[in-house]
Amino acid sequence: MLCAISGEAPQVPVVSPKSGSVFEKRLIEAYIAEHGKDPVNGEELSTEDLIDVKSQRVVRPRPPTLTSIPSLLSIFQEEWDALALETYTLQQNLAQTRRELSSALYQHDAAVRVIARLTKERNEAREALSNVSVGATRSAGAGDAMQVDSTGLPQAVLERVENTQAALSKGRRKRAVPEGWASAEAISTFKPTESSDPLYPGGRALSVNSTGDLALVGGVDSVVGVYSLSQKSVVQTLKTDGPVTDATWAGDKAVVGSSTGSVKVFENGAEVASFNSHAGEVTAVAVHATGDVVASVGVDKSYVLYDLATNTVASQIFTDAALLSVNFHPDGHLIAAGGADGQVKIFDVKTGVAAADYAMSGPVKCLFFSENGTFLAAVADKSTTVSIWDLRTSKETKVLDTGSQISSIFWDYTGQFLLTGGPSGVTVQQFTKASKSWSEPFRSAVPATSVAWGSAAQSIVALNEGGAVTVLTAQS
């Protein structure tokens, strides 16, 4: 038997019940006195736990003195025992240090990889920022405003915008009300006729297509559903990369803005384009009268125009405040953006030059042009009133007080009925052209975060915060 510490045959062998190893008694007692553990496995050990082993004992000489060779040998033996203990302790410390060093090297390697990735992302962000050229332009009576790419639209997009304006502006104010359009009497009888289950929580986005049957519905779960009002079910699901902030139809294409700053275009349920021009949340999207030009605004103080015919960014214009809402003039030559600074900012679509600014009482949450091309409706955040601005005089001609907070507005095609929606319900404000007066033919307690007119204003579609769609129609 050999001692587990010294490696020599023990004079007084004992066994540890913790590890089953044999030790020289004096060595293990010395180790226990210092550490209180088994030197092999590190378990708690006391001298009382040691088990004596019967063996042939070697008769040791009588205690020598330092004046004889045996006494010197005894001293050397004791020194050897101490050295054996120290060597064993050093071996254990070395093994522990190696394990700690290995862990530290692993953590250092992981930190280096993270730093390398962050450095790469920082360099990419700096490069992207360096590619943005910022200039300053001064509009008449409007102070300084920052703009980017203020050279105007590409020639192909510019021609489509000009042709659309020329075609739509002729006789706009003399248009007759289309046959079959809803009357004030019919609207006054509207009642909720159907309501879906909650579709998408935190519903904010609602847009009804030109047929009046398909509605885009989106919320905070990064999904937009194409909801069929006739089938009363979701017929398609569109996945985006963040909470949905707004959505609109551009013909048969669905355009979706998200809080991640992306604008995605879907056709027949498949993603056909994705844009990331905004450095922050996209707050609103709108479609131009051409049907293939779309605008988005964001907290990065810019609005972006996209050409869906080529799936490219046509221009990006920067202003002096974060933008919260957007809408195109029905002729397509102007675009209005609502600022967090309480200003309605109107720009020339073709050049990006500021055309006018209207002051509101707070951040401009909602905007909508009347189809007659004369009026602009605007709502400040958490306001109960709608401001009606005359574009010809740049003056606020009417303030409509609905008595409850307004979250969404929608003007019908004829310019007669202005629909409002909020947490306390929906209202319809009617403008009578002959008398130039306003009235309220309809009010309902159906809560809504977003509202839209159905086909021929024969119905109202409302989306509430829980993501449920409610349809209100006339009652016989």
Side-chain angles (χ1 to χ4, degrees), residues 41-240:
N41 58 15
E43 293 187 14
E44 296 293 332
L45 183 66
S46 66
T47 55
E48 288 78 14
D49 297 330
L50 299 176
I51 302 173
D52 293 329
V53 178
K54 301 294 184 179
S55 65
Q56 294 295 329
R57 296 179 61 85
V58 178
V59 179
R60 299 175 70 86
R62 292 161 58 180
T65 64
L66 296 179
T67 57
S68 65
I69 291 178
S71 66
L72 291 175
L73 291 176
S74 176
I75 295 300
F76 292 156
Q77 182 65 52
E78 292 175 357
E79 291 295 329
W80 167 255
D81 293 343
L83 182 61
L85 284 172
E86 183 179 3
T87 302
Y88 186 83
T89 302
L90 290 175
Q91 288 175 344
Q92 286 187 318
N93 292 340
L94 176 61
Q96 177 65 23
T97 302
R98 284 178 173 174
R99 288 194 294 269
E100 293 175 354
L101 178 60
S102 176
S103 177
L105 289 175
Y106 178 83
Q107 294 176 359
H108 175 267
D109 183 61
V112 168
R113 289 197 299 269
V114 171
I115 292 172
R117 177 175 59 82
L118 293 176
T119 302
K120 180 182 177 182
E121 292 176 356
R122 181 204 63 187
N123 293 339
E124 291 174 350
R126 284 179 174 176
E127 182 179 358
L129 185 61
S130 66
N131 292 332
V132 178
S133 58
V134 180
T137 61
R138 183 180 295 273
S139 58
D144 291 335
M146 292 189 301
Q147 297 197 3
V148 175
D149 300 338
S150 58
T151 55
L153 297 173
Q155 187 61 33
V157 178
L158 182 60
E159 290 178 357
R160 297 206 304 272
V161 171
E162 291 177 338
N163 293 338
T164 300
Q165 179 187 354
L168 295 178
S169 60
K170 294 179 180 179
R172 172 172 292 282
R173 299 181 186 176
K174 299 180 181 180
R175 294 177 310 166
V177 175
E179 185 178 353
W181 206 263
S183 64
E185 291 75 13
I187 291 175
S188 65
T189 66
F190 277 11
K191 298 290 183 183
T193 56
E194 59 185 71
S195 183
S196 71
D197 294 330
L199 301 175
Y200 306 104
R204 293 176 57 184
L206 174 68
S207 178
V208 180
N209 72 349
S210 58
T211 67
D213 180 52
L214 298 179
L216 293 175
V217 182
V220 298
D221 56 357
S222 307
V223 176
V224 174
V226 180
Y227 182 78
S228 173
L229 298 175
S230 60
Q231 300 177 28
K232 304 177 184 179
S233 63
V234 176
V235 295
Q236 284 182 351
T237 300
L238 313 177
K239 180 68 176 177
T240 185

